[in-house]
Amino acid sequence: LTKEDSGTENCHVRYIGEDGATVSGGLAFTKDDFSPVTDLSGTAQWFKADALDNIVQLDLKDYGYSGTFVKELYDNPKTLDFARNVPMLYNDGVRMSIARYPNEGFAQTKAGSEIPGGEGAAVDYVSPMLIYFDEAYADTVRSWHDISNVFVDARFSYTWVCENTRIISVEEDKPMMTVLFSGGHDPHESTPFFWYNIPEELDAPGEYYIGEDSVLYLYKPENFDTCEITIPKTEYGFTLEADYTTLENVMLESFF
């Protein structure tokens, strides 16, 4: 809506949705659009054997997505770009989870976590941050075949500061990882985080993973036979430049 669509101070323009009007920027799929995983030479080789029967796939390239759009996100060192732009999947309007570990709850930072050089010395997406975590998670984290595509959703400094950051390395002899600093403060002990975007951890109903080949893998949710799976394809629902104009009673969904 441009300036030409504006109302006036004495005559406002109202766009009012009726009966649950929805504007969606995404694509909608049902179970019939997915197929079983049969090629075990690519991404699927990393799935757990006991999870394979519950994983289905869909090639997003067949629906207008670039064959390189996820690869380009992986290659971008600004990890927040990945967190903001990797497509979110929805099950009947409820956001689903990118394959994560642990499946529920959080790991905790341990004493010794730090930013080398001290607080204020780090630069976003360039400087390393050393994070210690509980030994109980160490063997699983070391088992992932490619940690460069694994990300961390964290509250490393304060619970009100959300950080999404990329793993650089994992120590072999102690439960410690190096991640890219993503804009927070010095990490504190006993703050929560989890790892995500891990094909080996696609093992719980409703989780999904999108490979570098733009194939979407979904661990079938419990309502798979009846649900509608949606994925965003459009960045904006409305561009509103008009004055004295309101949009009311309209649901916007499935936008990047």
Side-chain angles (χ1 to χ4, degrees):
L1 300 176
T2 68
K3 290 290 185 181
E4 295 177 351
D5 301 302
S6 297
T8 68
E9 184 175 359
N10 296 319
C11 184
H12 288 234
V13 176
R14 300 170 65 201
Y15 293 89
I16 304 174
E18 294 183 351
D19 300 325
T22 299
V23 178
S24 174
L27 300 171
F29 304 108
T30 67
K31 67 180 183 66
D32 295 329
D33 296 306
F34 291 86
S35 60
V37 176
T38 56
D39 182 2
L40 302 183
S41 63
T43 300
Q45 69 182 293
W46 309 114
F47 299 155
K48 295 175 180 176
D50 58 359
L52 269 172
D53 287 345
N54 292 301
I55 298 174
V56 291
Q57 69 178 48
L58 182 153
D59 193 337
L60 293 174
K61 295 188 293 295
D62 294 339
Y63 297 89
Y65 282 89
S66 163
T68 61
F69 84 103
V70 173
K71 180 65 164 62
E72 291 167 354
L73 289 175
Y74 286 145
D75 291 342
N76 190 332
K78 291 190 174 183
T79 54
L80 280 178
D81 287 351
F82 179 90
R84 290 170 179 158
N85 293 317
V86 68
M88 296 293 102
L89 212 62
Y90 296 86
N91 177 343
D92 286 342
V94 178
R95 180 174 168 178
M96 305 172 79
S97 176
I98 302 174
R100 55 166 282 179
Y101 177 78
N103 285 331
E104 297 180 356
F106 300 91
Q108 302 286 329
T109 57
K110 308 293 284 186
S113 300
E114 64 174 343
I115 298 172
E119 188 165 2
V123 179
D124 285 0
Y125 315 114
V126 176
S127 303
M129 180 187 298
L130 307 180
I131 302 295
Y132 281 86
F133 52 91
D134 196 291
E135 181 69 45
Y137 299 103
D139 288 344
T140 297
V141 173
R142 294 186 191 116
S143 73
W144 299 330
H145 81 285
D146 183 7
I147 60 169
S148 66
N149 287 341
V150 177
F151 292 79
V152 179
D153 184 296
R155 309 294 189 273
F156 285 142
S157 52
Y158 302 99
T159 55
W160 46 267
V161 178
C162 179
E163 300 182 64
N164 283 277
T165 188
R166 183 191 297 266
I167 296 180
I168 301 302
S169 63
V170 176
E171 296 295 317
E172 289 295 329
D173 58 345
K174 51 184 172 289
M176 187 188 80
M177 62 183 175
T178 302
V179 303
L180 284 177
F181 179 81
S182 61
H185 306 279
D186 265 355
H188 295 169
E189 183 179 355
S190 300
T191 55
F193 70 92
F194 63 86
W195 295 268
Y196 72 96
N197 202 55
I198 316 156
E200 288 90 341
E201 301 303 324
L202 184 59
D203 59 1
E207 287 188 336
Y208 68 99
Y209 178 82
I210 301 177
E212 292 188 19
D213 55 1
S214 300
V215 173
L216 164 65
Y217 297 95
L218 173 68
Y219 193 109
K220 292 184 289 187
E222 295 177 358
N223 63 340
F224 184 62
D225 288 342
T226 59
C227 72
E228 180 178 78
I229 303 292
T230 56
I231 186 170
K233 193 180 179 184
T234 307
E235 186 170 4
Y236 298 110
F238 288 93
T239 301
L240 182 60
E241 298 175 350
D243 297 320
Y244 303 108
T245 302
T246 59
L247 180 67
E248 305 172 22
N249 199 35
V250 176
M251 174 71 74
L252 305 181
E253 67 178 20
S254 292
F255 292 97
F256 278 109

